[in-house]
Amino acid sequence: FTTQMPKPFLPLWGRPLAAWNLESLESAGIRWIVANRHWLPEVFDRELRSLLAHGAKATVTLSDESSLLLGSAGAIRAAMEIGEDGLRPGSFFWVNGDTWGDWDLPALDRQHARLCQRRVAPWMTLGLMKAPPQSTYRRFRCDGDGTVHEDPRGDLFFPGVGVFETETFRHLPLGQPMDLYSAVLVEALRQGRV
């Protein structure tokens, strides 16, 4: 399927995956979305136009990575520079375009705000899910106070949904490929900032 269609536009229960994520973000009050485009850019543009023509409330801005794939952290860093003023200081949602879940983004945002009241505020709050039994996903566990730890025996995994602080990414070089795990998550976990 993905040789002909970017993953965010594959159908899930009769709708493109991106439609579910767009609806989830809009229901959380998000009005500006940066969509990362890299695989099959012409198809991506066509499908996105079709999706937005059905009454989207949010403005969607493209981050074009069709010539250089920046990876998850590199894409976030690039997205921070898009728009009139770029991404302002504070927190923002991140939702992988190729994932789906029954995300309660307002609850995740409230959890992040609550955790920000701690003496050591988080750099990010991850939307963790129960890991499928035989999966090879990186495993995590969560303490009673909300602190996340990487743990091979943990029963949670990170599907690519979270609330992040912009300052977590400002130090990263612009235009360089970087994955989230090695660029920021390892250090955030080490410092108890997740």
Side-chain angles (χ1 to χ4, degrees):
F1 293 119
T2 58
T3 59
Q4 299 170 20
M5 182 68 67
K7 284 191 240 179
F9 299 104
L10 291 175
L12 178 68
W13 295 306
R15 299 172 65 198
L17 185 56
W20 296 101
N21 288 333
L22 178 63
E23 182 178 278
S24 182
L25 287 162
E26 287 181 340
S27 70
I30 302 303
R31 295 295 174 254
W32 182 53
I33 297 170
V34 176
N36 175 314
R37 170 185 66 186
H38 52 89
W39 177 246
L40 301 170
E42 300 82 15
V43 177
F44 188 100
D45 290 351
R46 181 191 72 225
E47 295 297 320
L48 182 61
R49 277 192 306 274
S50 174
L51 177 64
L52 296 177
H54 289 91
K57 298 176 193 89
T59 299
V60 178
T61 304
L62 289 178
S63 176
D64 185 11
E65 294 184 24
S66 56
S67 59
L68 176 63
L69 187 58
L70 294 174
S72 49
I76 290 170
R77 179 64 183 94
M80 292 171 69
E81 304 301 321
I82 293 175
E84 287 182 23
D85 301 316
L87 192 58
R88 292 182 178 86
S91 59
F92 64 94
F93 285 112
W94 178 40
V95 177
N96 273 357
D98 62 355
T99 190
W100 179 86
D102 189 14
W103 319 124
D104 185 346
L105 296 179
L108 188 62
D109 194 39
R110 287 190 302 275
Q111 170 74 352
H112 184 73
R114 186 183 67 76
L115 293 173
C116 283
Q117 301 305 311
R118 298 188 313 193
R119 187 175 58 81
V120 178
W123 292 348
M124 61 192 72
T125 300
L126 307 179
L128 301 174
M129 295 179 72
K130 289 284 185 191
Q134 301 301 318
S135 71
T136 58
Y137 294 116
R138 206 170 254 120
R139 301 294 183 111
F140 299 93
R141 66 177 166 78
C142 189
D143 287 350
D145 70 350
T147 303
V148 174
H149 305 274
E150 188 169 5
D151 182 346
R153 295 176 314 279
D155 65 344
L156 303 171
F157 82 105
F158 174 54
V161 175
V163 180
F164 296 90
E165 292 296 319
T166 56
E167 296 311 309
T168 304
F169 298 89
R170 289 247 185 252
H171 73 282
L172 299 177
L174 187 59
Q176 299 296 313
M178 293 169 279
D179 71 278
L180 180 71
Y181 182 77
S182 60
V184 295
L185 189 54
V186 168
E187 184 61 19
L189 287 163
R190 189 186 71 73
Q191 291 191 31
R193 305 291 293 265
V194 180

